[in-house]
Amino acid sequence: MGDWGFLSTLLDKVQSHSTVIGKIWMSVLFLFRIMVLGAGAESVWGDEQSGFLCNTKQPGCENVCYDWTFPISHIRFWVLQIIFVSTPTLVYLGHVMHVTHKENKMRLLSASPDGPPRTCKQPKYTDERGKVNIKGNLLASYMTQLVVKIVIEAAFIVGQYYLYGFVMVPMFPCSKTPCPFTVECYMSRPTEKTIFIIFMLVVACVSLLLNVVEIFYLLCTKVRCGSRGRRSVPGTSAENPAGFLMPAWPKRLEDTQHQNKMNMEFESGQSIGGSLDGSARLDAMGEWGFLSTLLDKVQSHSTVIGKVWMSVLFIFRIMVLGAGAEKVWSDEQSSMVCNTQQPGCKNVCYDKAFPISHIRFWVLQIIFVSTPTLVYLGHVMHVIHKENKLRERLIRAAPSEHVKSPKYSDESGHVKIKGNLLGSYIVAILFRILLEVGFIVGQYYLYGFVMNPRIECTRVPCPFSVECFMSRPTEKTIFIIFMLVVACVSLLLNVVEIFYLLCTKVRCGSRRCQEVPAGGVGATGGLRPAEQSEREAESKHCLKVRGQTSVMTSNDLQRTL
């Protein structure tokens, strides 16, 4: 992402201080705005003014007409939009860092022998592990930045409509001085630019919707937590006496120093709870650094075939696209030659032959095909977060209290693909199959699978049926066929993975039938009650996907706790 590295580093620190919807908003910002802007849209507008042609040779006419039509380029407009929309989040990050710094000082004072008495003010927003609770002033700060983001997002959407509209018109009439008459000016790649304008508009609307949903989510959570707080009163103990609503005091100085060290690391940007690390590998993969980091996290939650699919995506698609194919299409429109000198004819003929460039088409294909996998990753992270909370409740629960045991993950964070996670994983694969097929069929109807060296065109303002000749047609055909084969291999891997998961489920289902007696519930089948309950506990954890570590049984979990 190049120039976006510093912004991505700052926004990455906000991950551990945001809600689930806030993390989704951050992913949308990085994946569908910054990455698409750097990897696709920026190159579309690269020849923006040089490809703007008017049917006059009057010096300065093209310059004033272009300035009148585009007071600010779309690319620079979107860059300002991303920066302004991100600014409230960075202000909130500054507030969080200030609060964390203050509460670290409180812990240092309370840990020192000459520290203040216990009745002194205690940390309110951060716990011993450095996690921040969004409440009180922090909640107000978080809500304020959401409202400001909504206002800025809506203002930029309205501003874009009044500046340009949402469609790139191929021809602009212009009568500005010094043009001798009302001239006609023609844009380069109007259809491709319209595709990216609509894409960025949809992403801005999704971002706006996420901010609105997050506000309602926070309000509903606050109301629900308030009703719980009125029903329950915290218990008292020697470490937390009545009248002092504060966390337990550390029993040893070493424990306090360890907590302070964790908080200092947290404050310096080393996230304890884990984050997206959007800029950690920017130099290695260029614009694809953020996507590669996210997909790399899916590796440990996928099957063996899923890992192979990921390798095919990185090596044979992203790397080949960036290292080889992009250079082949670099002179795409500039080296297209037509047998006429009519101004604007070359632009409209290129736009008819290639409504969107192959390179940008493949960029969108990679992003869209990867999106279901990223949604599955979000589901996995949500499940791990919930089950970590369950483990904390199990540790604190009384022996007589019934607490639901973790089902999908073990203490080391390894996930078992079963139940709802299995359903989510299969749905992600099905969507990948549909998207892959859709892009293959779309490529066939847009261009075919061979680059023709000669293109005929009869569009206005061409004076007759002209012939236009492409540069490097054979080399481009080689890359087109290569990317098509890789897409078909990716599609095949998805289909094979579906059958692999279904066969594994059927095989484990038959094992369960053999292990559980046919007498139904309550039938022992000749086994002692202890053996029967142990068999039933083991049968619940049957589905073992190759490449994953097994989930502990409930007996193992109880022994560990």
Side-chain angles (χ1 to χ4, degrees), residues 350-378:
Y350 176 85
D351 184 66
K352 177 187 176 183
F354 304 102
I356 181 172
S357 168
H358 284 80
I359 293 294
R360 264 78 73 184
F361 182 87
W362 291 329
V363 166
L364 294 178
Q365 182 177 8
I366 291 171
I367 292 174
F368 275 93
V369 168
S370 305
T371 301
T373 306
L374 301 182
V375 174
Y376 165 71
L377 174 63

Side-chain angles (χ1 to χ4, degrees), residues 1 4 7-8 10-12 15 21-38 78-79 81-87 89-90 149 153 199-200 203-204 206-207 210 276 290:
M1 284 185 295
W4 296 101
L7 179 63
S8 64
L10 286 177
L11 290 176
D12 179 62
Q15 288 284 342
I21 303 174
K23 290 180 172 66
I24 296 173
W25 178 86
M26 217 82 67
S27 301
V28 169
L29 177 70
F30 277 113
L31 186 62
F32 292 104
R33 291 182 117 165
I34 296 178
M35 222 188 79
V36 169
L37 190 65
W78 291 328
V79 166
Q81 183 177 8
I82 291 172
I83 292 173
F84 274 91
V85 167
S86 305
T87 300
T89 306
L90 300 181
K149 281 197 299 192
E153 201 80 78
F199 180 86
M200 296 298 284
V203 173
V206 170
S207 175
L210 285 173
L276 294 180
F290 178 70

